Amino acid sequence: MSTAATEERSQLNSPNREYSLERTRNIGIAAHIDAGKTTTTERILFYTGLIHKMGEVHDGDTVTDWMSQEKERGITITSAAITCFWKQADDGLLKTFVDVPHRINIIDTPGHVDFTAEVERSMRVLDGAVAVFCGVAGVQPQSETVWRQATKYSVPRIAFVNKMDRTGADFDNAVSDMRNKLGAYAYPISLPLGAEDQLKGVIDLVSQKAILYDQEDPTGLKYEVTAIPADQKNRAEVAYRELLEAVADKDDTVMELVVNELPIDSVTLKAAIRRLTCSMELVPVLGGSAFKNKGVHSVVDAVVDYLPSPVDVPSAVGTDLDNDEEVEIRTDDSGHFCGLAFKLWTDPFVGKLVFMRVYRGTLKKGEAVLNTRTRRKERASRLLMIQADKRSDCDAVYAGDIVAIVGVKNVTTGDTLCTQGNEISLEPPTFPEPVISMAIEPKTKLDRERLSEGLQRLSEEDPTFRCFTNEETGQLIIAGMGELHLEIIRDRLLREFKVVANAGVPQIAYRETITKKASAEGKFVRQSGGRGQYGHAVINVQPAERGKGVTIDNKIVGGVIPKEFIPAVISGIEDVISGGVLANYPMVDVSVQLVDGSFHEVDSNELAFKMAGIFAFKEAAKKASLALLEPVMKVEVTTPDEYQGDILGDLNRRRGKIISIDSKPQVTILNSEVPLAEMFGYATAVRSLSKGRASYSMEPDKFEQVPTSIVNTLLDSIMPVAARS
């Protein structure tokens, strides 16, 4: 970096901050469930000196899985933020920042698809990510989901192939999976030395050295940097040449050296890898075993060496609310304050915590900020540094920090907090719609009062959780991303809010649509003495492309319906769309055009035209062949070969569509698409069919039309025939 560039960067930093922007890393640990994210995070915290004893997921004593539900189930439910510090050691390996302390803000994200919102909002505020893959299973369904989320928010990443100590682990296969299934330009910068029970260490390809761990030291703190063993030299040379060629294809500096047949030193190569990683053109891959404490040091070094600091990523983009123009938000401590609230959490001791990523400026304890959504001032009475379920107060926060604020009240996920007079709105994260719901009923009047408070708090915390009252039955309905999601919600209501409630059977969040074009008119005419009511609208409807949602276009010409009544017609149409026509489910993928109508100079009003819109759309929808859509899940089952037939047969009975069957050593991986309605109780079924040896994962994929053969049965169960007629 030039002297001028270095000086410019130094001016971005407040003289009061302890760690400069260049020495800060905001990273996430993300992966498929059971790939080893939490174990990897726990080792990082141990080696960075934040904790002095490594916890284990199976023992329920890890730092980041601090909720009682997480400890009991051995899974991550909520993303945990934690800050640690790392100083690279001078141990004979080539490192860029030897003896330079760095601050690393880590978010450990869930792997279960039911809690994908936690990954979504974390990716929105991160500068880099460590994607963890299982050395046996390679790329799994949720691996693909978190990878897409990271790509959506332009998050550079490195990959860690974990569990190389497990039987059947195959590092090369995992790398191949990344390239084929994720489209990643992935190349190893380190290789596991050995595999399964013979895993001894890792080979650093850039330094051309081996790291051998002391087999007598279970902590992994003692290791020796040596020459690459003779039996591994050829493998390391081949991998090094592949890495060099991959970098040269993307980096002009290295390409020029290759073309001119000049030597490429490790410093030049390392700098090129960093450039390509930060620009998302390369994914460096490392291997090891977090559980066996091998290779994690290299991962932390790679985070510092290759993942970007807040000043290495493109500036955040926001909207200036004064002129509605896009503006760049340069990471700078001296600029006007601007931060994004990405998570809410209710702490039993301090109350409502708002997790925030600071994009620009400085915020001191006690200062007021403006919420650009509500246009109201909020006062940050306390600023907290987060260490999972522990916190420490701080006097000020700076650009690039991830912190929690206490004292702000009317703030939700996705709100922008900024300096008054410099009002900017940042793009919030987006979240999927719930796919499953159930009725919930408090047992006593006291439970009812507590339930209301609990549901309000939980819906504030979780953007994928919904609660509403069914207008027909009067039942209170909760909706979420899956059975486990709703189970956790119920458990939290009981433990945190002392609510005892009965829950109904989970219900599928079906959708309605149309399958052909149609036209219809709606007339609302009332004359009962005095001023009457008159509204008349003509509409065309047609199916839209799946996933495009609903569009309503005004095609009225010549003033056949006055402009002031057009919104009322559209409002009536929207009311029917939200409530459905076939079975009271929201409608999707429908295109509506308002094309004609008429009015009465005296009797026409907004109510009459709203009713006309309702009548017109209901009639058009019935003519357009209504159809019911159901959520379809992408299901992956990993099973020993001997149970493949039984599991295949069971998936077929559940209306499953087999997409692929992959064979790996000793196991078969079945990829299929199965309607969510058929997946209730599948966890028990798959355990029974495989004597507990198979595992599965699933994630929402798409909506598909319910087969005609079962539509009527389904509709009868949803609502009686009399109600549909």
Side-chain angles (χ1 to χ4, degrees), residues 301-600:
D301 281 333
V303 165
V304 169
D305 278 344
Y306 302 122
L307 288 180
S309 72
V311 292
D312 294 319
V313 295
S315 298
V317 176
T319 303
D320 190 322
L321 298 183
D322 290 333
N323 53 28
D324 211 32
E325 291 181 357
E326 277 196 355
V327 290
E328 280 195 358
I329 305 176
R330 187 187 184 211
T331 304
D332 181 352
D333 286 343
S334 61
H336 293 288
F337 176 80
C338 182
L340 181 71
F342 68 94
K343 177 181 170 79
L344 273 66
W345 191 260
T346 302
D347 186 278
F349 302 106
V350 299
K352 185 175 178 180
L353 291 175
V354 176
F355 289 68
M356 178 181 66
R357 162 70 191 261
V358 182
Y359 282 95
R360 186 179 66 193
T362 302
L363 179 66
K364 295 178 181 176
K365 183 173 67 175
E367 286 187 340
V369 290
L370 183 78
N371 184 337
T372 56
R373 178 181 60 85
T374 63
R375 298 298 181 102
R376 290 183 179 178
K377 278 188 175 182
E378 300 278 358
R379 190 166 300 279
S381 58
R382 291 176 68 187
L383 300 172
L384 301 177
M385 201 64 65
I386 303 298
Q387 307 288 10
D389 62 335
K390 297 180 176 63
R391 312 105 180 73
S392 57
D393 283 83
C394 49
D395 295 326
V397 293
Y398 304 92
D401 285 350
I402 292 176
V403 296
I405 308 178
V406 179
V408 293
K409 295 182 175 99
N410 192 18
V411 175
T412 62
T413 299
D415 283 354
T416 302
L417 304 177
C418 63
T419 305
Q420 191 166 11
N422 191 64
E423 296 167 20
I424 292 169
S425 179
L426 294 161
E427 184 185 354
T430 56
F431 302 103
E433 289 295 313
V435 296
I436 193 170
S437 63
M438 69 167 60
I440 187 167
E441 183 181 343
K443 285 193 172 183
T444 67
K445 185 180 179 182
L446 181 60
D447 286 325
R448 184 175 297 278
E449 293 169 1
R450 289 171 175 167
L451 179 64
S452 176
E453 181 192 355
L455 291 176
Q456 183 185 348
R457 293 256 192 103
L458 293 173
S459 58
E460 284 180 352
E461 292 176 9
D462 186 350
T464 59
F465 172 63
R466 303 275 195 281
C467 54
F468 56 92
T469 302
N470 186 311
E471 291 182 2
E472 288 193 353
T473 64
Q475 287 180 303
L476 183 62
I477 307 295
I478 59 174
M481 299 305 298
E483 284 184 277
L484 179 61
H485 189 195
L486 295 186
E487 185 186 325
I488 295 296
I489 291 289
R490 284 185 62 201
D491 194 54
R492 288 190 63 192
L493 283 171
L494 177 62
R495 296 193 192 202
E496 296 173 29
F497 302 97
K498 308 295 185 274
V499 175
V500 181
N502 296 321
V505 178
Q507 302 294 317
I508 307 298
Y510 291 96
R511 295 289 185 267
E512 298 177 21
T513 193
I514 57 175
T515 58
K516 64 182 186 183
K517 296 181 180 179
S519 300
E521 66 175 345
K523 260 190 182 180
F524 185 75
V525 184
R526 293 285 187 274
Q527 197 68 50
S528 57
R531 187 170 178 178
Q533 304 262 6
Y534 185 93
H536 176 217
V538 181
I539 65 169
N540 297 332
V541 298
Q542 66 181 39
E545 186 182 336
R546 191 77 72 235
K548 291 295 183 184
V550 176
T551 57
I552 305 174
D553 297 317
N554 175 23
K555 299 293 185 180
I556 294 291
V557 292
V560 292
I561 299 178
K563 285 184 180 178
E564 62 266 30
F565 296 138
I566 299 293
V569 180
I570 293 173
S571 175
I573 294 170
E574 288 173 340
D575 281 358
V576 182
I577 285 172
S578 63
V581 178
L582 184 61
N584 298 338
Y585 288 108
M587 300 193 72
V588 295
D589 306 331
V590 179
S591 175
V592 186
Q593 291 183 336
L594 177 59
V595 295
D596 203 359
S598 61
F599 72 103
H600 191 280

Side-chain angles (χ1 to χ4, degrees), residues 219-259:
T219 67
L221 289 170
K222 296 179 181 177
Y223 59 88
E224 183 186 4
V225 176
T226 68
I228 298 170
D231 62 339
Q232 296 290 324
K233 278 228 175 208
N234 185 58
R235 176 176 171 239
E237 283 173 6
V238 170
Y240 179 78
R241 282 198 303 272
E242 286 182 355
L243 175 63
L244 205 58
E245 289 169 8
V247 172
D249 283 346
K250 298 280 187 179
D251 187 86
D252 291 341
T253 303
V254 176
M255 173 58 81
E256 190 176 339
L257 293 171
V258 170
V259 169

